Amino acid sequence: MAVLLLAGALACSAQRYQPKDTWPYLYPDFQNALVFTASGVQVQEAMMNVTVDGKLHFIRDEKILAVDMKNVYTARLGNDVYVNAGGKLMKVLAENDNGAVVLESSIDVDKMSKADIGYGVKSATASTQNITTLAGGTMDAMVDMALTTVMDQKASGSVIAMKENTYLRVGMNLTPASKRGLMDNPYVDKATAKAFLKSIKIDWKNPKSLLKVVDFIATEKNK
């Protein structure tokens, strides 16, 4: 049974969706979502998706529209929870009363600009238009576009090279999930941080383990 479960997990991992320049979303389909606004209002929307630059899009009257990110506090799509961090949605990997461990997804522009990297990019200038549109910080090209037009080209296009960064979120402060990130945190005393890291073992790849660092930062911040 354990072997079957492991095989299933590996299969799911291998089949992880890869965004394309013709479908620049983190999910292969729009889906039911629950959004909490900054004022605490709960909004349920039948068709939503997260763009590769962390914006929230929805479908209405057969058109793709963008949510004003200033009004979004958190969003749940399926089993995934996102929090608005500086106008960009980041996926919550673990959380407690002091903060959260969040994952930022973004376009790996450097990787996409290299020649013959297997993402449909033949040279640094081959897909300049698509890369510029995607990496420019917005998905404006998708907004107000007819859904039928987008769906017609969904299967075509080139895979977007993505990168992921993990952060520790305490209040509005984001700290890179690393020893160096902890040392550079403005709320943390370096000597105290060194003593903390010596006193407790942190698995920097384990979100639950990283919550111990979240707690430490929160304690330092509140001193």
Side-chain angles (χ1 to χ4, degrees), residues 122-159:
K122 301 301 181 183
S123 69
T125 59
S127 296
T128 300
Q129 185 174 358
N130 282 343
I131 293 174
T132 301
T133 300
L134 293 171
T138 67
M139 291 292 114
D140 289 344
M142 307 298 293
V143 178
D144 285 330
M145 187 176 289
L147 181 60
T148 53
T149 301
V150 179
M151 294 301 292
D152 286 344
Q153 61 186 16
K154 177 181 176 182
S156 62
S158 303
V159 172

Side-chain angles (χ1 to χ4, degrees), residues 98-139:
N98 287 321
V101 180
V102 296
L103 182 70
E104 176 194 42
S105 298
S106 59
I107 302 169
D108 192 333
V109 180
D110 292 337
K111 193 171 185 179
M112 286 191 71
S113 66
K114 292 179 182 178
D116 302 320
I117 61 173
Y119 289 94
V121 183
K122 301 301 181 183
S123 69
T125 59
S127 296
T128 300
Q129 185 174 358
N130 282 343
I131 293 174
T132 301
T133 300
L134 293 171
T138 67
M139 291 292 114

Side-chain angles (χ1 to χ4, degrees), residues 61-80:
D61 297 328
E62 296 300 313
K63 278 190 174 183
I64 294 177
L65 301 174
V67 175
D68 185 350
M69 293 303 295
K70 291 184 295 185
N71 296 326
V72 177
Y73 180 62
T74 61
R76 179 187 293 274
L77 284 81
N79 294 322
D80 296 334

